[in-house]
Amino acid sequence: MSTDAVRLVEVGPRDGLQNEPCALPVDTRVRLIERLVAAGLRHLEVGAFVSPRWVPRMAGSDEIMRCLAPLPSVTYSALVPNEKGLNSALESGCREVAVFAAASEAFSQRNINCSIAESLERFEPVLSKAKEAGIAVRGYVSCSLGCPLSGDVEIAEVVRVSAALYEMGCYEVSLGDTIGTGTPGKTKALIEACASEMPIAALAGHFHDTYGMAVANLHAALEAGVRVFDSSVSGLGGCPYSPGATGNVATEDVVYLLHGLGIQTGVNLDTLVDTGTFIDHELGRRTASRTAKAIKARRERTLERTPT
Ligand code: HMG
Ligand code: MG
């Protein structure tokens, strides 16, 4: 496997916080994002312009966008489900958005209240208006490796929806294992099938860790040629419309894996672990990152050995 660069998309401030029981003030969400940038993350999904009645935790995404100082080489993106979301995103100064479809009809209805076909129709004006405004658009395909409502999902359906988003103008399509039921063999088969219909450079992996397979699946996708991965600091996350699913693969674990493979990420792991500790404290939760746990335990052992 070649050891060229990997791009990480930090989705903690969006996917990570959208389903948390505890509502965080805008100021805390902004501090989280700033700390992630300080740790070296360069592409961050910071909010969602969705209905606050559907996903209350993403309210305030406009304020967050306005608070973030533009920085060279840092991209702040946000989810938009329709033209209304795009308009709000543009008004707040957002320079990249992501549309989100699904490979399961049942999930599409539950998540965005329309069929897959209707969602793709809805995205057409979003893509054309974004293009006019000079805004890049990313795409997601949820339930790429299984659906919380209807179970197994046909690979052919994931390929069809991914190719449709790409042809519509999404510069990249992130394949979401929304409920984390995927395994490495299935992940490899999925990537190979999608890469037969669109460039592999336009595919990203988005793995949730419900069954503890996220790092293994990410590695399988890496070996299959994927070079962009979504992850969430401290393994925060979960979709409000996917009950039982846990967070995204932890960014700390991904960085540890990639650095171990000799692949640079530009991320400082120690600073990232501290950022995870910060947000866990704010939320009153424990980290889901095995790497963060190990680094913190090692720090404590070192402190115990240090004479005072
Ligand atoms: P709807 O009820 O069918 O929408 O919801 P509607 O067009 O009939 O409008 C109903 C109300 O919502 C109206 O307000 C609209 O103005 C408002 P009212 O007149 O009743 O006061 N509305 C909006 N408000 C703010 N922003 C908007 C917007 N659009 C309409 N953009 C809708 C359809 C798509 C809006 C709704 O279903 C929704 O917001 N869904 C969001 C679901 C969501 O965010 N899920 C989590 C993210 S997806 C995910 O986590 C998976 C991912 O991580 C990948 C993976 O893991 O697989 C990406
Ligand atoms: Mg997700």
Side-chain angles (χ1 to χ4, degrees), residues 105-126:
E105 284 296 350
F107 186 80
S108 183
Q109 289 290 353
R110 184 70 64 88
N111 195 39
I112 50 174
N113 207 21
C114 65
S115 69
I116 298 170
E118 284 164 342
S119 74
L120 295 175
E121 269 172 40
R122 234 177 235 184
F123 298 156
E124 288 281 2
V126 173

Side-chain angles (χ1 to χ4, degrees), residues 201-278:
L203 286 170
H206 177 109
F207 301 105
H208 284 261
D209 201 30
T210 318
Y211 287 79
M213 291 291 110
V215 168
N217 292 339
L218 186 146
H219 189 253
L222 185 73
E223 287 202 312
V226 176
R227 291 293 176 269
V228 185
F229 296 104
D230 304 349
S231 61
S232 181
V233 64
S234 197
L236 293 170
C239 173
Y241 297 100
S242 178
T246 66
N248 298 89
V249 65
T251 310
E252 295 92 322
D253 298 359
V254 178
V255 169
Y256 183 78
L257 169 76
L258 295 174
H259 289 186
L261 290 168
I263 300 174
Q264 290 314 304
T265 62
V267 175
N268 180 306
L269 191 49
D270 277 306
T271 312
L272 183 63
V273 168
D274 293 340
T275 304
T277 304
F278 158 77

Side-chain angles (χ1 to χ4, degrees), residues 56-300:
R57 295 288 174 264
M58 288 293 99
S61 292
D62 52 345
E63 272 182 78
I64 288 178
M65 273 301 168
R66 289 194 184 95
C67 286
L68 294 169
L71 291 170
S73 77
V74 175
T75 301
Y76 301 116
S77 64
L79 290 190
V80 299
N82 50 23
E83 256 188 290
K84 183 176 169 69
L86 176 69
N87 291 340
S88 308
L90 291 175
E91 277 163 26
S92 70
C94 181
R95 301 299 300 161
E96 177 169 322
V97 296
V99 292
F100 48 112
S104 147
E105 284 296 350
F107 186 80
S108 183
Q109 289 290 353
R110 184 70 64 88
N111 195 39
I112 50 174
N113 207 21
C114 65
S115 69
I116 298 170
E118 284 164 342
S119 74
L120 295 175
E121 269 172 40
R122 234 177 235 184
F123 298 156
E124 288 281 2
V126 173
L127 266 292
S128 52
K129 197 164 178 181
K131 194 174 174 191
E132 270 169 39
I135 301 290
V137 183
R138 199 172 191 241
Y140 279 103
V141 182
S142 287
C143 303
S144 290
L145 288 161
C147 171
L149 306 164
S150 53
D152 287 345
V153 167
E154 294 288 333
I155 282 189
E157 187 60 355
V158 186
V159 173
R160 183 183 76 79
V161 179
S162 303
L165 289 174
Y166 182 68
E167 276 155 30
M168 206 182 275
C170 292
Y171 74 91
E172 185 170 281
V173 176
S174 180
L175 301 171
D177 183 10
T178 317
I179 50 170
T181 48
T183 48
K186 283 186 183 167
T187 301
K188 181 173 182 278
L190 176 70
I191 301 299
E192 285 170 358
C194 289
S196 68
E197 292 296 319
M198 57 189 282
I200 195 150
L203 286 170
H206 177 109
F207 301 105
H208 284 261
D209 201 30
T210 318
Y211 287 79
M213 291 291 110
V215 168
N217 292 339
L218 186 146
H219 189 253
L222 185 73
E223 287 202 312
V226 176
R227 291 293 176 269
V228 185
F229 296 104
D230 304 349
S231 61
S232 181
V233 64
S234 197
L236 293 170
C239 173
Y241 297 100
S242 178
T246 66
N248 298 89
V249 65
T251 310
E252 295 92 322
D253 298 359
V254 178
V255 169
Y256 183 78
L257 169 76
L258 295 174
H259 289 186
L261 290 168
I263 300 174
Q264 290 314 304
T265 62
V267 175
N268 180 306
L269 191 49
D270 277 306
T271 312
L272 183 63
V273 168
D274 293 340
T275 304
T277 304
F278 158 77
I279 194 63
D280 288 338
H281 177 74
E282 294 294 331
L283 291 167
R285 74 188 280 277
R286 285 172 196 272
T287 185
S289 162
R290 298 286 293 269
T291 295
K293 279 182 203 158
I295 289 178
K296 289 199 267 191
R298 191 189 62 203
R299 284 178 185 169
E300 276 171 26

